[in-house]
Tab-separated table of all heavy atoms in Angstrom:
chain	number	residue	atom	x	y	z
T	190	MET	N	0.835	-1.209	0.000
T	190	MET	CA	0.000	0.000	0.000
T	190	MET	C	0.872	1.261	0.000
T	190	MET	O	0.659	2.178	-0.756
T	190	MET	CB	-0.907	-0.005	1.223
T	190	MET	CG	-2.357	0.262	0.816
T	190	MET	SD	-3.459	0.286	2.220
T	190	MET	CE	-5.021	0.254	1.371
T	191	THR	N	1.872	1.251	0.854
T	191	THR	CA	2.771	2.395	0.929
T	191	THR	C	3.520	2.584	-0.393
T	191	THR	O	3.698	3.687	-0.876
T	191	THR	CB	3.785	2.228	2.074
T	191	THR	OG1	3.076	1.824	3.231
T	191	THR	CG2	4.502	3.527	2.356
T	192	LYS	N	3.899	1.457	-0.977
T	192	LYS	CA	4.622	1.490	-2.244
T	192	LYS	C	3.766	2.121	-3.355
T	192	LYS	O	4.219	2.962	-4.097
T	192	LYS	CB	4.999	0.055	-2.638
T	192	LYS	CG	6.418	-0.046	-3.176
T	192	LYS	CD	6.769	-1.492	-3.440
T	192	LYS	CE	8.235	-1.651	-3.765
T	192	LYS	NZ	8.571	-3.068	-3.954
T	193	LYS	N	2.512	1.710	-3.409
T	193	LYS	CA	1.607	2.220	-4.427
T	193	LYS	C	1.399	3.729	-4.277
T	193	LYS	O	1.377	4.463	-5.239
T	193	LYS	CB	0.265	1.498	-4.315
T	193	LYS	CG	-0.149	0.882	-5.647
T	193	LYS	CD	-1.438	0.110	-5.517
T	193	LYS	CE	-1.707	-0.688	-6.787
T	193	LYS	NZ	-2.884	-1.536	-6.651
T	194	LYS	N	1.261	4.151	-3.045
T	194	LYS	CA	1.040	5.560	-2.767
T	194	LYS	C	2.240	6.394	-3.233
T	194	LYS	O	2.076	7.450	-3.824
T	194	LYS	CB	0.812	5.751	-1.262
T	194	LYS	CG	-0.012	6.984	-0.968
T	194	LYS	CD	-0.399	7.016	0.500
T	194	LYS	CE	-1.397	8.138	0.774
T	194	LYS	NZ	-1.763	8.177	2.192
T	195	THR	N	3.419	5.903	-2.971
T	195	THR	CA	4.636	6.608	-3.373
T	195	THR	C	4.723	6.728	-4.889
T	195	THR	O	5.063	7.779	-5.422
T	195	THR	CB	5.883	5.876	-2.831
T	195	THR	OG1	5.711	5.667	-1.445
T	195	THR	CG2	7.143	6.695	-3.067
T	196	GLN	N	4.351	5.641	-5.551
T	196	GLN	CA	4.405	5.646	-7.012
T	196	GLN	C	3.411	6.663	-7.573
T	196	GLN	O	3.699	7.405	-8.498
T	196	GLN	CB	4.085	4.241	-7.530
T	196	GLN	CG	4.448	4.092	-9.007
T	196	GLN	CD	4.079	2.716	-9.545
T	196	GLN	OE1	3.501	1.907	-8.823
T	196	GLN	NE2	4.390	2.449	-10.780
T	197	TYR	N	2.239	6.693	-6.969
T	197	TYR	CA	1.213	7.638	-7.411
T	197	TYR	C	1.706	9.072	-7.265
T	197	TYR	O	1.541	9.907	-8.141
T	197	TYR	CB	-0.057	7.418	-6.594
T	197	TYR	CG	-1.158	8.382	-6.936
T	197	TYR	CD1	-1.865	8.275	-8.134
T	197	TYR	CD2	-1.483	9.426	-6.057
T	197	TYR	CE1	-2.866	9.170	-8.451
T	197	TYR	CE2	-2.475	10.318	-6.366
T	197	TYR	CZ	-3.177	10.193	-7.567
T	197	TYR	OH	-4.165	11.083	-7.892
T	198	LEU	N	2.339	9.349	-6.137
T	198	LEU	CA	2.837	10.695	-5.884
T	198	LEU	C	3.920	11.103	-6.877
T	198	LEU	O	3.936	12.227	-7.354
T	198	LEU	CB	3.377	10.795	-4.462
T	198	LEU	CG	2.311	10.895	-3.351
T	198	LEU	CD1	2.959	10.798	-1.981
T	198	LEU	CD2	1.529	12.199	-3.454
T	199	SER	N	4.810	10.164	-7.194
T	199	SER	CA	5.885	10.500	-8.121
T	199	SER	C	5.350	10.708	-9.538
T	199	SER	O	5.846	11.543	-10.279
T	199	SER	CB	6.967	9.417	-8.105
T	199	SER	OG	6.448	8.203	-8.548
T	200	GLU	N	4.312	9.958	-9.885
T	200	GLU	CA	3.684	10.168	-11.204
T	200	GLU	C	3.033	11.536	-11.276
T	200	GLU	O	3.105	12.228	-12.272
T	200	GLU	CB	2.633	9.085	-11.461
T	200	GLU	CG	3.238	7.805	-12.018
T	200	GLU	CD	2.196	6.703	-12.136
T	200	GLU	OE1	1.000	7.014	-12.118
T	200	GLU	OE2	2.608	5.538	-12.240
T	201	GLU	N	2.400	11.907	-10.182
T	201	GLU	CA	1.755	13.207	-10.137
T	201	GLU	C	2.802	14.319	-10.245
T	201	GLU	O	2.604	15.313	-10.926
T	201	GLU	CB	0.991	13.339	-8.817
T	201	GLU	CG	-0.156	14.320	-8.900
T	201	GLU	CD	-0.999	14.271	-7.635
T	201	GLU	OE1	-0.425	14.234	-6.543
T	201	GLU	OE2	-2.212	14.252	-7.746
T	202	HIS	N	3.922	14.104	-9.580
T	202	HIS	CA	4.990	15.094	-9.620
T	202	HIS	C	5.564	15.229	-11.028
T	202	HIS	O	5.821	16.327	-11.500
T	202	HIS	CB	6.088	14.695	-8.625
T	202	HIS	CG	7.138	15.751	-8.461
T	202	HIS	ND1	6.882	16.954	-7.858
T	202	HIS	CD2	8.432	15.783	-8.826
T	202	HIS	CE1	7.992	17.674	-7.870
T	202	HIS	NE2	8.948	16.995	-8.443
T	203	ALA	N	5.729	14.101	-11.710
T	203	ALA	CA	6.263	14.119	-13.070
T	203	ALA	C	5.317	14.874	-14.004
T	203	ALA	O	5.754	15.574	-14.911
T	203	ALA	CB	6.470	12.697	-13.563
T	204	GLU	N	4.047	14.741	-13.734
T	204	GLU	CA	3.064	15.429	-14.561
T	204	GLU	C	3.167	16.942	-14.413
T	204	GLU	O	2.871	17.689	-15.328
T	204	GLU	CB	1.661	14.958	-14.158
T	204	GLU	CG	0.661	15.008	-15.292
T	204	GLU	CD	-0.665	14.404	-14.874
T	204	GLU	OE1	-0.726	13.180	-14.702
T	204	GLU	OE2	-1.621	15.163	-14.714
T	205	GLU	N	3.602	17.380	-13.240
T	205	GLU	CA	3.764	18.814	-13.014
T	205	GLU	C	4.945	19.389	-13.788
T	205	GLU	O	5.018	20.578	-14.016
T	205	GLU	CB	3.958	19.081	-11.522
T	205	GLU	CG	2.668	18.969	-10.746
T	205	GLU	CD	2.844	19.378	-9.301
T	205	GLU	OE1	3.929	19.852	-8.952
T	205	GLU	OE2	1.904	19.223	-8.539
T	206	LEU	N	5.865	18.524	-14.167
T	206	LEU	CA	7.062	19.013	-14.832
T	206	LEU	C	7.006	18.789	-16.346
T	206	LEU	O	7.981	18.429	-16.970
T	206	LEU	CB	8.292	18.320	-14.242
T	206	LEU	CG	8.562	18.652	-12.760
T	206	LEU	CD1	9.648	17.741	-12.228
T	206	LEU	CD2	8.926	20.096	-12.571
T	207	ASP	N	5.842	18.985	-16.923
T	207	ASP	CA	5.695	18.768	-18.356
T	207	ASP	C	5.953	20.026	-19.180
T	207	ASP	O	5.782	20.029	-20.387
T	207	ASP	CB	4.310	18.189	-18.672
T	207	ASP	CG	3.187	19.077	-18.193
T	207	ASP	OD1	3.472	20.193	-17.710
T	207	ASP	OD2	2.024	18.671	-18.319
T	208	ASP	N	6.335	21.116	-18.517
T	208	ASP	CA	6.677	22.370	-19.203
T	208	ASP	C	5.510	23.001	-19.960
T	208	ASP	O	5.705	23.783	-20.876
T	208	ASP	CB	7.854	22.169	-20.161
T	208	ASP	CG	9.180	22.062	-19.413
T	208	ASP	OD1	9.197	22.323	-18.196
T	208	ASP	OD2	10.174	21.731	-20.043
T	209	ILE	N	4.285	22.663	-19.554
T	209	ILE	CA	3.118	23.291	-20.171
T	209	ILE	C	2.638	24.427	-19.271
T	209	ILE	O	2.314	24.216	-18.113
T	209	ILE	CB	1.969	22.279	-20.368
T	209	ILE	CG1	2.446	21.014	-21.099
T	209	ILE	CG2	0.796	22.940	-21.088
T	209	ILE	CD1	2.595	21.146	-22.577
T	210	CYS	N	2.588	25.614	-19.818
T	210	CYS	CA	2.119	26.773	-19.070
T	210	CYS	C	0.641	26.610	-18.713
T	210	CYS	O	-0.171	26.285	-19.575
T	210	CYS	CB	2.327	28.036	-19.902
T	210	CYS	SG	1.626	29.508	-19.140
T	211	GLU	N	0.304	26.828	-17.436
T	211	GLU	CA	-1.088	26.661	-17.003
T	211	GLU	C	-1.964	27.808	-17.470
T	211	GLU	O	-3.178	27.722	-17.442
T	211	GLU	CB	-1.149	26.563	-15.474
T	211	GLU	CG	-0.733	25.203	-14.966
T	211	GLU	CD	-1.055	25.032	-13.489
T	211	GLU	OE1	-1.147	26.041	-12.788
T	211	GLU	OE2	-1.209	23.886	-13.062
T	212	ASN	N	-1.368	28.881	-17.869
T	212	ASN	CA	-2.138	30.049	-18.286
T	212	ASN	C	-2.456	30.021	-19.790
T	212	ASN	O	-3.600	30.160	-20.183
T	212	ASN	CB	-1.367	31.316	-17.926
T	212	ASN	CG	-2.241	32.544	-18.024
T	212	ASN	OD1	-3.325	32.582	-17.460
T	212	ASN	ND2	-1.781	33.538	-18.748
T	213	CYS	N	-1.450	29.799	-20.611
T	213	CYS	CA	-1.664	29.851	-22.063
T	213	CYS	C	-1.539	28.479	-22.736
T	213	CYS	O	-1.749	28.369	-23.933
T	213	CYS	CB	-0.689	30.843	-22.701
T	213	CYS	SG	1.035	30.347	-22.576
T	214	ARG	N	-1.191	27.426	-21.920
T	214	ARG	CA	-1.136	26.051	-22.429
T	214	ARG	C	-0.052	25.837	-23.477
T	214	ARG	O	-0.121	24.904	-24.261
T	214	ARG	CB	-2.493	25.618	-23.001
T	214	ARG	CG	-3.560	25.516	-21.946
T	214	ARG	CD	-3.399	24.238	-21.151
T	214	ARG	NE	-4.123	24.322	-19.893
T	214	ARG	CZ	-3.956	23.471	-18.881
T	214	ARG	NH1	-3.107	22.482	-19.003
T	214	ARG	NH2	-4.624	23.618	-17.776
T	215	LYS	N	0.935	26.691	-23.516
T	215	LYS	CA	2.057	26.497	-24.430
T	215	LYS	C	3.173	25.748	-23.718
T	215	LYS	O	3.386	25.938	-22.516
T	215	LYS	CB	2.583	27.846	-24.924
T	215	LYS	CG	1.719	28.465	-25.995
T	215	LYS	CD	2.321	29.779	-26.458
T	215	LYS	CE	1.435	30.497	-27.452
T	215	LYS	NZ	1.904	31.851	-27.746
T	216	LYS	N	3.881	24.932	-24.487
T	216	LYS	CA	5.023	24.225	-23.925
T	216	LYS	C	6.259	25.091	-24.051
T	216	LYS	O	6.579	25.579	-25.139
T	216	LYS	CB	5.235	22.899	-24.673
T	216	LYS	CG	6.263	22.003	-24.012
T	216	LYS	CD	6.367	20.693	-24.783
T	216	LYS	CE	7.530	19.864	-24.275
T	216	LYS	NZ	7.238	19.174	-23.026
T	217	ASP	N	6.903	25.327	-22.910
T	217	ASP	CA	8.082	26.198	-22.917
T	217	ASP	C	9.039	25.732	-21.830
T	217	ASP	O	8.624	25.378	-20.724
T	217	ASP	CB	7.639	27.643	-22.664
T	217	ASP	CG	8.732	28.634	-23.008
T	217	ASP	OD1	9.792	28.622	-22.340
T	217	ASP	OD2	8.546	29.419	-23.947
T	218	GLU	N	10.331	25.751	-22.130
T	218	GLU	CA	11.308	25.269	-21.144
T	218	GLU	C	11.426	26.180	-19.933
T	218	GLU	O	11.926	25.784	-18.895
T	218	GLU	CB	12.682	25.068	-21.796
T	218	GLU	CG	13.311	26.358	-22.303
T	218	GLU	CD	14.715	26.107	-22.878
T	218	GLU	OE1	15.084	24.935	-23.079
T	218	GLU	OE2	15.401	27.095	-23.146
T	219	THR	N	10.943	27.401	-20.037
T	219	THR	CA	10.989	28.318	-18.896
T	219	THR	C	9.905	28.008	-17.863
T	219	THR	O	9.965	28.506	-16.746
T	219	THR	CB	10.831	29.785	-19.351
T	219	THR	OG1	9.584	29.940	-20.003
T	219	THR	CG2	11.950	30.202	-20.276
T	220	VAL	N	8.910	27.181	-18.244
T	220	VAL	CA	7.807	26.880	-17.324
T	220	VAL	C	8.309	26.196	-16.060
T	220	VAL	O	7.969	26.600	-14.951
T	220	VAL	CB	6.736	26.018	-18.022
T	220	VAL	CG1	5.674	25.549	-17.026
T	220	VAL	CG2	6.061	26.811	-19.125
T	221	SER	N	9.154	25.187	-16.198
T	221	SER	CA	9.661	24.474	-15.019
T	221	SER	C	10.581	25.368	-14.199
T	221	SER	O	10.607	25.301	-12.975
T	221	SER	CB	10.373	23.189	-15.435
T	221	SER	OG	11.401	23.445	-16.354
T	222	GLN	N	11.329	26.223	-14.863
T	222	GLN	CA	12.193	27.170	-14.141
T	222	GLN	C	11.346	28.139	-13.320
T	222	GLN	O	11.641	28.413	-12.151
T	222	GLN	CB	13.042	27.971	-15.136
T	222	GLN	CG	14.083	27.134	-15.856
T	222	GLN	CD	14.710	27.894	-17.022
T	222	GLN	OE1	14.678	29.118	-17.072
T	222	GLN	NE2	15.267	27.164	-17.973
T	223	ASN	N	10.292	28.642	-13.925
T	223	ASN	CA	9.429	29.580	-13.225
T	223	ASN	C	8.658	28.900	-12.102
T	223	ASN	O	8.349	29.531	-11.090
T	223	ASN	CB	8.466	30.243	-14.215
T	223	ASN	CG	9.184	31.217	-15.114
T	223	ASN	OD1	10.175	31.810	-14.723
T	223	ASN	ND2	8.690	31.393	-16.328
T	224	LEU	N	8.335	27.614	-12.273
T	224	LEU	CA	7.669	26.873	-11.211
T	224	LEU	C	8.557	26.794	-9.984
T	224	LEU	O	8.096	26.983	-8.854
T	224	LEU	CB	7.308	25.470	-11.711
T	224	LEU	CG	6.579	24.569	-10.706
T	224	LEU	CD1	5.233	25.160	-10.317
T	224	LEU	CD2	6.384	23.181	-11.277
T	225	ILE	N	9.837	26.566	-10.186
T	225	ILE	CA	10.788	26.501	-9.079
T	225	ILE	C	10.992	27.889	-8.470
T	225	ILE	O	10.986	28.064	-7.258
T	225	ILE	CB	12.127	25.910	-9.570
T	225	ILE	CG1	11.924	24.428	-9.925
T	225	ILE	CG2	13.213	26.047	-8.501
T	225	ILE	CD1	13.042	23.859	-10.804
T	226	LEU	N	11.148	28.886	-9.308
T	226	LEU	CA	11.473	30.234	-8.825
T	226	LEU	C	10.280	30.939	-8.190
T	226	LEU	O	10.417	31.623	-7.184
T	226	LEU	CB	11.992	31.086	-9.990
T	226	LEU	CG	13.383	30.730	-10.527
T	226	LEU	CD1	13.658	31.499	-11.808
T	226	LEU	CD2	14.458	31.025	-9.504
T	227	THR	N	9.102	30.783	-8.773
T	227	THR	CA	7.961	31.586	-8.343
T	227	THR	C	6.835	30.756	-7.739
T	227	THR	O	5.962	31.301	-7.080
T	227	THR	CB	7.378	32.385	-9.531
T	227	THR	OG1	6.773	31.476	-10.458
T	227	THR	CG2	8.463	33.180	-10.246
T	228	GLY	N	6.824	29.436	-7.982
T	228	GLY	CA	5.729	28.601	-7.508
T	228	GLY	C	4.543	28.605	-8.455
T	228	GLY	O	3.553	27.933	-8.219
T	229	PHE	N	4.656	29.347	-9.547
T	229	PHE	CA	3.603	29.367	-10.549
T	229	PHE	C	4.071	28.663	-11.807
T	229	PHE	O	5.203	28.860	-12.256
T	229	PHE	CB	3.198	30.806	-10.900
T	229	PHE	CG	2.536	31.526	-9.758
T	229	PHE	CD1	3.227	32.459	-9.024
T	229	PHE	CD2	1.211	31.244	-9.438
T	229	PHE	CE1	2.615	33.123	-7.954
T	229	PHE	CE2	0.591	31.904	-8.388
T	229	PHE	CZ	1.297	32.842	-7.641
T	230	LYS	N	3.159	27.885	-12.402
T	230	LYS	CA	3.543	27.109	-13.568
T	230	LYS	C	3.222	27.914	-14.827
T	230	LYS	O	2.292	27.607	-15.569
T	230	LYS	CB	2.783	25.774	-13.546
T	230	LYS	CG	3.446	24.698	-14.341
T	230	LYS	CD	2.662	23.421	-14.220
T	230	LYS	CE	2.998	22.508	-15.357
T	230	LYS	NZ	2.012	21.457	-15.501
T	231	PHE	N	3.988	28.948	-15.021
T	231	PHE	CA	3.766	29.853	-16.132
T	231	PHE	C	4.996	29.926	-17.021
T	231	PHE	O	6.122	29.772	-16.554
T	231	PHE	CB	3.477	31.265	-15.624
T	231	PHE	CG	2.131	31.425	-14.954
T	231	PHE	CD1	1.859	32.563	-14.222
T	231	PHE	CD2	1.143	30.468	-15.081
T	231	PHE	CE1	0.633	32.733	-13.605
T	231	PHE	CE2	-0.092	30.624	-14.477
T	231	PHE	CZ	-0.346	31.772	-13.732
T	232	CYS	N	4.769	30.243	-18.290
T	232	CYS	CA	5.883	30.525	-19.174
T	232	CYS	C	6.399	31.940	-18.893
T	232	CYS	O	5.831	32.681	-18.089
T	232	CYS	CB	5.450	30.384	-20.639
T	232	CYS	SG	4.302	31.651	-21.189
T	233	GLU	N	7.455	32.314	-19.588
T	233	GLU	CA	8.100	33.588	-19.289
T	233	GLU	C	7.161	34.780	-19.480
T	233	GLU	O	7.093	35.667	-18.638
T	233	GLU	CB	9.350	33.743	-20.171
T	233	GLU	CG	10.267	34.860	-19.741
T	233	GLU	CD	10.909	34.639	-18.367
T	233	GLU	OE1	10.837	33.524	-17.830
T	233	GLU	OE2	11.449	35.604	-17.835
T	234	SER	N	6.425	34.801	-20.564
T	234	SER	CA	5.568	35.963	-20.826
T	234	SER	C	4.401	36.045	-19.849
T	234	SER	O	4.033	37.130	-19.401
T	234	SER	CB	5.061	35.935	-22.275
T	234	SER	OG	4.431	34.721	-22.555
T	235	CYS	N	3.842	34.892	-19.462
T	235	CYS	CA	2.768	34.897	-18.465
T	235	CYS	C	3.312	35.268	-17.088
T	235	CYS	O	2.652	35.944	-16.315
T	235	CYS	CB	2.095	33.538	-18.405
T	235	CYS	SG	1.196	33.113	-19.899
T	236	ARG	N	4.531	34.819	-16.792
T	236	ARG	CA	5.145	35.149	-15.511
T	236	ARG	C	5.305	36.669	-15.368
T	236	ARG	O	4.999	37.253	-14.339
T	236	ARG	CB	6.517	34.484	-15.383
T	236	ARG	CG	7.192	34.760	-14.048
T	236	ARG	CD	8.587	34.206	-13.999
T	236	ARG	NE	9.494	34.938	-14.875
T	236	ARG	CZ	10.100	36.088	-14.547
T	236	ARG	NH1	9.896	36.614	-13.368
T	236	ARG	NH2	10.895	36.689	-15.387
T	237	ILE	N	5.778	37.298	-16.427
T	237	ILE	CA	5.999	38.740	-16.389
T	237	ILE	C	4.702	39.488	-16.142
T	237	ILE	O	4.661	40.457	-15.397
T	237	ILE	CB	6.690	39.191	-17.714
T	237	ILE	CG1	8.134	38.708	-17.730
T	237	ILE	CG2	6.637	40.708	-17.864
T	237	ILE	CD1	8.778	38.756	-19.105
T	238	SER	N	3.618	39.002	-16.717
T	238	SER	CA	2.349	39.690	-16.534
T	238	SER	C	1.678	39.361	-15.199
T	238	SER	O	0.732	40.019	-14.799
T	238	SER	CB	1.397	39.379	-17.687
T	238	SER	OG	1.142	38.002	-17.749
T	239	ARG	N	2.189	38.347	-14.470
T	239	ARG	CA	1.540	37.943	-13.222
T	239	ARG	C	2.396	38.146	-11.963
T	239	ARG	O	1.840	38.351	-10.892
T	239	ARG	CB	1.147	36.460	-13.293
T	239	ARG	CG	-0.054	36.185	-14.142
T	239	ARG	CD	-1.350	36.708	-13.543
T	239	ARG	NE	-1.797	35.944	-12.383
T	239	ARG	CZ	-2.597	34.885	-12.442
T	239	ARG	NH1	-3.020	34.437	-13.594
T	239	ARG	NH2	-2.950	34.263	-11.358
T	240	THR	N	3.711	38.084	-12.076
T	240	THR	CA	4.580	37.984	-10.901
T	240	THR	C	4.391	39.116	-9.907
T	240	THR	O	4.283	38.913	-8.716
T	240	THR	CB	6.058	37.937	-11.338
T	240	THR	OG1	6.265	36.798	-12.141
T	240	THR	CG2	6.977	37.848	-10.130
T	241	PHE	N	4.338	40.335	-10.386
T	241	PHE	CA	4.292	41.475	-9.487
T	241	PHE	C	2.883	41.987	-9.272
T	241	PHE	O	2.667	43.102	-8.861
T	241	PHE	CB	5.226	42.575	-10.009
T	241	PHE	CG	6.654	42.103	-10.066
T	241	PHE	CD1	7.265	41.866	-11.291
T	241	PHE	CD2	7.380	41.846	-8.901
T	241	PHE	CE1	8.566	41.413	-11.354
T	241	PHE	CE2	8.683	41.376	-8.959
T	241	PHE	CZ	9.275	41.164	-10.188
T	242	PHE	N	1.931	41.120	-9.536
T	242	PHE	CA	0.542	41.437	-9.222
T	242	PHE	C	0.375	41.548	-7.708
T	242	PHE	O	0.769	40.666	-6.975
T	242	PHE	CB	-0.362	40.329	-9.781
T	242	PHE	CG	-1.670	40.823	-10.293
T	242	PHE	CD1	-1.754	41.478	-11.509
T	242	PHE	CD2	-2.835	40.623	-9.546
T	242	PHE	CE1	-2.968	41.931	-11.983
T	242	PHE	CE2	-4.058	41.079	-10.016
T	242	PHE	CZ	-4.130	41.734	-11.222
T	243	PRO	N	-0.160	42.648	-7.218
T	243	PRO	CA	-0.118	42.918	-5.772
T	243	PRO	C	-1.152	42.168	-4.949
T	243	PRO	O	-1.737	42.731	-4.046
T	243	PRO	CB	-0.344	44.433	-5.730
T	243	PRO	CG	-1.167	44.733	-6.922
T	243	PRO	CD	-0.778	43.725	-7.969
T	244	ILE	N	-1.424	40.902	-5.250
T	244	ILE	CA	-2.360	40.131	-4.426
T	244	ILE	C	-1.667	38.894	-3.877
T	244	ILE	O	-1.004	38.221	-4.620
T	244	ILE	CB	-3.636	39.733	-5.219
T	244	ILE	CG1	-4.482	40.987	-5.476
T	244	ILE	CG2	-4.437	38.679	-4.449
T	244	ILE	CD1	-5.705	40.745	-6.327
X	286	LIG	ZN1	2.048	31.166	-20.713
């Protein structure tokens, strides 16, 4: 049971690193970088328009 749960979690994690921007759905290598840096799964252009949003 524990083994299965771990596998499920790692699959879910791999899915997060597909480099697809959650905002515009484009595949870009900056998406994973921005996910690490900002916590948002955005490409570079979406990041620029969202990062300094005051909320
Ligand atoms: Zn984008």
Side-chain angles (χ1 to χ4, degrees):
M190 230 181 192
T191 313
K192 223 175 189 177
K193 234 177 190 175
K194 206 171 188 180
T195 308
Q196 194 182 3
Y197 178 73
L198 284 172
S199 63
E200 276 174 18
E201 205 172 44
H202 188 68
E204 209 174 290
E205 284 186 6
L206 295 171
D207 58 6
D208 285 350
I209 308 281
C210 174
E211 283 191 335
N212 194 51
C213 65
R214 294 282 162 194
K215 283 181 185 171
K216 189 178 171 78
D217 195 295
E218 65 177 12
T219 60
V220 173
S221 56
Q222 292 169 21
N223 288 330
L224 181 62
I225 292 163
L226 289 171
T227 68
F229 293 103
K230 203 178 160 197
F231 289 167
C232 69
E233 193 65 12
S234 54
C235 293
R236 182 185 70 83
I237 288 164
S238 60
R239 285 291 288 270
T240 299
F241 299 109
F242 216 76
I244 290 176

